Amino acid sequence: MFAIATKNFVEEVDNRGLLIPVSSLNDTIALLTVVVKRKRFWFWQKPKYLPTDFHFNDILIGEMPINPDVSEADFIKYTGTFGDNIQGSVDAAFVKANVNLEGKDSSKLQSSFGSLKKDEVDVQKLLQDCKDRVLDMSHCLIQQAKEKHKRVFGIVKERILTTQPCSVIEEVQQGGQCGGSLSSCGPKSHKISLKENGSLSKDSNITMEIPTQTTIAYGLIELDVKQDGCFVLCLMSDTNGGFEVDGAAKQGLLSVSGTPVHTSEIGLIQQELVRLKDNFQLLSGLPASIRSSLLQQITELMQDPPAISSLQKVLEQKYLEPGLGDVRPTDSEQQKIQGILDLLVPSQAGQSTSILTALHLIISALDEMTQDCLEYLRICSNPTTLRTLEQLVQCVSENKEMPLSSAVLTEDVYINTKHLFSLSNVSLKKDGNVVRTEIKHPQGNLPLVLCIAIRSLASLAYCG
């Protein structure tokens, strides 16, 4: 609940992606706190940030502590409300039976953080203070981080704090009604009649009180660490830190699938879709009944972003990268997760990893999307619309246009699709008898993530 509220806050106030939402009230984030950044399975996934119990001074050699100059400033006053409403009904009449079903599901998350302030380190003075300083490479935190794959050190340079007691409120309402009648006449004119009307409702209202001086988001400076403990502060947002390996100069970052980070946006999308082709083929090669059930369950999962995150962690920690830690989904999340895993975990262990990697690909792409983006994608996740979306992905990756005659693009579908693509920094325009796509903001991986999600879902719908 707190993690969703801080994530929503960061998405609203920081479109450059420099702020990191605090995921747990148990995390103590002070200026110059050491945070471990863990790179993910796919290069386009946002990294995970693990705050430690250590201050920057704790891992430096020498007794002279660094005491940074800190500036304080008012940030913003923030109140956000996020939610959705789902309602539906079914009426069915048979020769000897009538059935009526109604359902309603609504949820609302309100974050009232109030007036916020920002603490920020004077970076120029910090540079001076760090001159000729060396990290203690024998420190247990550094030793453990070096042993793990894809770890980077960062120190907190700024943080957003509450200035007054505030709250996060979650309201959930679930309700349903069913009614029906059944009659039967036997050959001896015996008559049985059954009438039943019932209702089920479940409401919850949870309020979390947040104390003053609680950090809800923070920014980092990454460290580029040499083997001898010398380090450089990475001041540019596009400069990455890390540990020097075997004394050799650090090479350019590579994705798990081998794609260089520094590539033109369109070229990157095209290359990555080609590299992931085997995963798409694995999904489209599943039996039709499994593909249909999997598409349905994943579509339903899009209404529950925390469950998507939990499934992604389960796949990563249990099957793809064991030893990363343990994840504990809630009971409702566990039920959804297990239903999906039961469809895909085969009896032959030799096939398990590849199929689960393909599932991890879909879920990881969905986990990178905002809640609004997930909602529009859910609306579009039927086989006919996915076929059109897949054609549009080809337009994006090959910088081409699509004839309107080749797609089922009704006005409603076009509006929803336009919103979906816009939320991922891709513009969609009708121009005469064609549809054109254009990447609006080259920075970031949102267009690539959207293309991967659509291609994966289309593979389950067997669209191409």
Side-chain angles (χ1 to χ4, degrees):
M1 194 167 130
F2 177 74
I4 296 174
T6 57
K7 181 180 178 182
N8 288 337
F9 166 76
V10 168
E11 287 176 355
E12 291 294 324
V13 304
D14 180 34
N15 57 10
R16 294 187 300 163
L18 301 181
L19 285 178
I20 302 158
V22 176
S23 59
S24 172
L25 280 169
N26 199 40
D27 291 335
T28 302
I29 310 291
L31 292 175
L32 298 192
T33 291
V34 179
V35 176
V36 178
K37 170 184 170 183
R38 179 173 69 82
K39 301 171 193 173
R40 308 288 294 284
F41 192 83
W42 309 102
F43 82 89
W44 38 262
Q45 287 179 279
K46 294 185 186 74
K48 289 292 185 183
Y49 295 92
L50 311 171
T52 72
D53 296 326
F54 296 94
H55 188 275
F56 190 33
N57 287 320
D58 296 331
I59 61 173
L60 287 172
I61 290 177
E63 297 182 0
M64 181 66 68
I66 290 178
N67 296 308
D69 286 346
V70 177
S71 63
E72 292 186 3
D74 292 336
F75 193 58
I76 60 171
K77 187 173 183 179
Y78 178 86
T79 298
T81 302
F82 303 84
D84 54 56
N85 289 279
I86 304 164
Q87 187 167 354
S89 64
V90 176
D91 290 284
F94 303 95
V95 175
K96 297 178 181 179
N98 294 295
V99 179
N100 170 264
L101 299 172
E102 291 185 8
K104 185 176 182 180
D105 193 346
S106 67
S107 63
K108 182 172 70 173
L109 181 72
Q110 182 173 335
S111 310
S112 301
F113 289 134
S115 298
L116 300 168
K117 71 174 182 178
K118 179 166 77 168
D119 286 353
E120 189 168 10
V121 169
D122 184 332
V123 176
Q124 289 190 355
K125 182 176 183 299
L126 180 63
L127 279 172
Q128 291 295 322
D129 292 343
C130 289
K131 190 177 181 181
D132 300 325
R133 298 300 297 267
V134 178
L135 295 179
D136 179 3
M137 299 304 285
S138 65
H139 193 283
C140 58
L141 180 64
I142 296 178
Q143 289 292 318
Q144 291 174 15
K146 283 183 65 179
E147 291 172 1
K148 303 264 186 179
H149 185 43
K150 301 180 292 187
R151 298 294 196 272
V152 176
F153 269 8
I155 53 175
V156 176
K157 70 167 183 176
E158 61 181 347
R159 56 181 186 155
I160 310 299
L161 303 101
T162 61
T163 61
Q164 61 197 60
C166 52
S167 63
V168 176
I169 302 171
E170 181 183 55
E171 296 178 4
V172 177
Q173 292 182 328
Q174 295 175 312
Q177 291 185 338
C178 62
S181 63
L182 173 67
S183 62
S184 174
C185 295
K188 295 183 180 179
S189 71
H190 293 110
K191 187 174 181 179
I192 302 171
S193 179
L194 172 66
K195 293 184 179 180
E196 183 176 339
N197 288 281
S199 64
L200 173 67
S201 64
K202 178 183 177 183
D203 297 341
S204 66
N205 189 320
I206 302 171
T207 299
M208 182 181 291
E209 298 293 339
I210 311 297
T212 304
Q213 298 293 310
T214 297
T215 304
I216 63 172
Y218 59 94
L220 289 182
I221 296 179
E222 294 185 14
L223 304 182
D224 188 351
V225 183
K226 309 302 179 184
Q227 280 200 320
D228 59 2
C230 294
F231 62 91
V232 176
L233 298 179
C234 300
L235 304 179
M236 301 291 290
S237 60
D238 59 350
T239 304
N240 298 289
F243 287 95
E244 187 178 47
V245 180
D246 296 331
K250 227 176 10 166
Q251 298 179 351
L253 292 174
L254 295 179
S255 72
V256 171
S257 58
T259 300
V261 171
H262 302 292
T263 311
S264 69
E265 189 73 21
I266 293 175
L268 175 63
I269 293 172
Q270 190 173 31
Q271 288 178 28
E272 193 64 8
L273 292 179
V274 170
R275 291 179 187 275
L276 296 172
K277 185 178 178 181
D278 289 347
N279 292 280
F280 302 140
Q281 289 178 341
L282 273 171
L283 295 170
S284 63
L286 291 169
S289 59
I290 292 180
R291 282 190 287 105
S292 177
S293 296
L294 193 57
L295 179 60
Q296 179 183 354
Q297 292 193 41
I298 290 176
T299 301
E300 293 173 358
L301 203 66
M302 292 182 203
Q303 299 176 73
D304 190 353
I308 291 175
S309 297
S310 293
L311 176 54
Q312 190 275 139
K313 292 174 186 175
V314 167
L315 289 168
E316 201 168 271
Q317 296 175 3
K318 286 191 175 181
Y319 301 103
L320 304 180
E321 292 184 313
L324 287 178
D326 192 21
V327 58
R328 295 179 176 84
T330 64
D331 291 342
S332 62
E333 290 174 354
Q334 182 60 43
Q335 187 175 2
K336 297 172 185 177
I337 289 170
Q338 197 58 50
I340 290 175
L341 292 178
D342 288 345
L343 286 172
L344 278 190
V345 179
S347 57
Q348 296 181 359
Q351 297 177 345
S352 177
T353 302
S354 57
I355 292 176
L356 290 174
T357 299
L359 174 62
H360 182 265
L361 176 66
I362 307 177
I363 301 303
S364 296
L366 298 180
D367 194 36
E368 295 298 301
M369 293 180 167
T370 65
Q371 192 163 344
D372 286 344
C373 196
L374 284 173
E375 182 58 27
Y376 279 107
L377 183 58
R378 184 183 68 83
I379 294 171
C380 296
S381 289
N382 60 78
T384 301
T385 305
L386 284 171
R387 186 176 294 111
T388 298
L389 295 185
E390 191 176 30
Q391 291 175 295
L392 290 170
V393 164
Q394 188 174 357
C395 294
V396 174
S397 63
E398 298 179 10
N399 199 20
K400 292 164 48 176
E401 58 189 32
M402 182 179 73
L404 281 171
S405 58
S406 66
V408 181
L409 205 60
T410 63
E411 191 61 27
D412 286 347
V413 172
Y414 175 73
I415 291 172
N416 289 330
T417 302
K418 186 175 181 179
H419 281 305
L420 171 63
F421 276 63
S422 177
L423 290 166
S424 296
N425 294 339
V426 180
S427 65
L428 200 65
K429 284 183 186 176
K430 286 182 182 179
D431 187 0
N433 294 321
V434 299
V435 177
R436 289 193 173 92
T437 61
E438 181 184 358
I439 296 175
K440 294 183 291 187
H441 307 295
Q443 299 85 5
N445 293 312
L446 288 178
L448 172 60
V449 169
L450 176 67
C451 290
I452 290 172
I454 290 172
R455 283 286 286 112
S456 300
L457 294 171
S459 298
L460 291 177
Y462 210 59
C463 299

